[in-house]
Amino acid sequence: MTDTPRSGRISTKRQRIAELARQVPEMSFTNLAHHMDIEWLHAAYDTTRKDGAVGLDGQTAKQYAEDLEGNLESLLNRFKSGRYRAPAVRRVHIPKGKGDKTRPIGVPTFEDKVLQRAVTMLLESVYEQDFLDCSYGFRPGRSAHQALETIRRQMVSMRGGWVIDLDIQGFFDALDHGHLRTFLDQRVRDGVLRRAIGKWLNAGVVENGSWRQSDSGTPQGGVVSPLLANVYLHHVLDKWFVTEVQPRLRGRSFMVRYADDVVIVVEQETDAQRVMEVLPRRLARFGLTMHPTKSRLIDFRAPRDKRGDGDDDDRPPGVFDFLGFTHFWGQTRKGGWALKRRTAKDRFRRCLKAIYRWCRWNRHQPIVVQHRKLIRKLQGHRAYYGLMGNSRSLNVFRYRVLEVWQKWLNERSQKPSMPRHRFWGWLLQRYPVPALTLLHPPPGLRSKPIALRSRMR
C-alpha cells in the first residue's frame, strides 16, 4: 500500500469525522483530540499565514521554522497533557470607515495561531455539517461574493421586499462565554479541546503595556474566533430564524449572514415589523444588543410595485449596504427596474485613503517599483469589487488613484517634478494603468442586468 501525501491523509480523517457528525446530528463528540497528531499539526502549520504580525513574544514564522519539528512536538505534548498556556493577545486598532473610528484586532503569537488552526480544523469537520445555508462568513468553500449573489438572486425572485439591516453592537466583544459553552456542549465535549478553548477565551489582551482579562467576547484576529462566532450565531439567529420565525410568516423571506453582518428580507411589511420587534428580545436573551441607530427596517420594494398601494410613486427607492456594496433599484435602458450594486461610500473612502497613505510614504521609490505595486493594489481592489454593475465605481476609483499618485510624485522635490500634463501624458504612456474591468459576473447571467418586468394589470 503506497503512502499518501500528508494533506490527503488529513483530509481522510476530516471526512470520517464529518460523515459521523452528519449521520448522527444529535451526537456530542467526547474524543476528538486523539485525531490530532504531529502530522495534523504540520498541516495546520502549512495553512497558517507566515507574513502576519507577531504576537507578544515577538517570534516570527521564520524563527519558529528553524526547529519546526521540535516546536511542533513540544506543542502537541503540551496541548494533550493540558500544560499548554494560552498567551494573551496583543491588541491593535485598525481604521474602520470614515473619521477616526477604529476596530480592535487581537494578534496571537505564531505558535498560538498554529494550535488554533489545528483545533479549528477539527471543529470545522463537525460544525460544517450543522451550519445552515444562510451562513457564509469564514466557512470553507463559501465567500462574500456567494452571499451577495444569494441576495441578488432571491431579491429578484421576490421582486423586492422589506429589508432588516441588522447591526449587532460590539458582537465580538459581547459574546457571552457561558452561552458559548452551552452551545459547544451540544456537539463537542472533548475535555482536551474544551480546555484549550477555555484558555483562549480567558487569555486576556495586552494593550499599551497593560493586561486585561476578558470575561466576555472573543478577540477579532484569533484563528479560532470566527468559528466560535459562527457557532454562537448559528444557535442565536440561524436556527431560530429558520425553525421558529419563517414558519410563522405569511409571505416569503430569507436571511443572509456573513459573520456578524446580517440581512433579513421579508416580503410583507407586517411580517417585517413583527420580526423587527422580536429581534431585540431574542438578542438580549443571549447577551447581545441590536444597535439602536444602525439597525434599520428599509422599504426595498421595486418602485413599480408601489403603484396602487397608496404610496407616493415618486418616492425614491430605499438602499442598504452589505459587505461593502450599496444595493439599490436602478432603471434599465428599456425603462424597467433592476437590482444594482456599487461600492459603498465608506469602503470607497477607506480604500482610497489606504492608497493615499501608501503613495505618500513610498513616493521616493523608483517609479517602476511604484507602478508595479500600484497595479497589484488596483488588481486586488478589482478582485473584490469587480461585480457586475459596478463598473462606474471601479473607473472612478482608478481615476482617483491616479490623481493621488500624481500628487505625491509631484511632492518628491521642492520644485514640481511631475506636473499634470507630464503625468497624464508621458508617464502613463510609459507606465500604463489598465482600466478595471468587471471580474465577477454572476454564474449563468447575461452581460446585461435582469430587469423586473411589470405585472400585467
Side-chain angles (χ1 to χ4, degrees), residues 239-429:
K239 285 179 62 178
W240 169 75
F241 182 77
V242 171
T243 61
E244 297 185 35
V245 175
Q246 280 189 312
R248 291 177 168 86
L249 302 180
R250 290 180 293 180
R252 291 177 292 176
S253 63
F254 70 93
M255 181 176 79
V256 174
R257 182 177 65 81
Y258 192 93
D260 62 331
D261 292 328
V262 186
V263 165
I264 300 173
V265 183
V266 182
E267 190 174 28
Q268 298 189 15
E269 182 181 7
T270 54
D271 287 340
Q273 290 174 343
R274 290 166 56 201
V275 176
M276 195 70 173
E277 289 174 1
V278 76
L279 268 172
R281 297 196 296 271
R282 175 67 183 180
L283 295 176
R285 178 181 172 187
F286 298 97
L288 303 176
T289 305
M290 188 167 76
H291 199 287
T293 58
K294 293 182 180 180
S295 298
R296 302 179 301 149
L297 177 60
I298 304 161
D299 182 355
F300 200 73
R301 293 171 294 169
R304 77 205 179 290
D305 283 341
K306 297 177 181 177
R307 299 172 186 168
D309 62 0
D311 288 346
D312 183 4
D313 289 340
D314 296 329
R315 185 180 58 187
V319 299
F320 69 93
D321 290 351
F322 186 63
L323 297 181
F325 288 89
T326 297
H327 296 69
F328 62 100
W329 293 108
Q331 280 193 295
T332 65
R333 294 179 180 178
K334 295 183 178 180
W337 292 92
L339 179 64
K340 298 185 177 182
R341 297 165 296 195
R342 61 173 177 261
T343 307
K345 291 181 179 179
D346 61 336
R347 291 293 187 93
F348 188 97
R349 285 191 295 262
R350 187 193 309 176
C351 294
L352 190 61
K353 189 175 181 179
I355 295 287
Y356 186 95
R357 288 195 299 264
W358 185 89
C359 288
R360 178 184 179 184
W361 293 109
N362 293 274
R363 64 186 184 272
H364 295 295
Q365 288 194 26
I367 291 181
V368 63
V369 174
Q370 294 187 49
H371 174 257
R372 183 171 61 249
K373 292 184 178 179
L374 271 179
I375 291 293
R376 291 177 183 173
K377 290 180 181 295
L378 285 170
Q379 289 174 343
H381 185 86
R382 168 182 174 248
Y384 185 77
Y385 293 101
L387 291 183
M388 184 175 182
N390 196 34
S391 57
R392 185 178 183 277
S393 293
L394 291 177
N395 291 331
V396 172
F397 184 78
R398 172 184 174 274
Y399 179 78
R400 296 291 300 277
V401 167
L402 292 178
E403 284 188 323
V404 168
W405 191 26
Q406 186 262 331
K407 167 185 168 54
W408 286 110
L409 287 179
N410 208 32
E411 297 284 337
R412 296 204 297 178
S413 61
Q414 293 182 352
K415 63 179 182 179
S417 57
M418 190 59 62
R420 187 175 181 85
H421 70 275
R422 179 175 170 82
F423 175 83
W424 292 96
W426 170 82
L427 188 133
L428 289 185
Q429 288 181 3

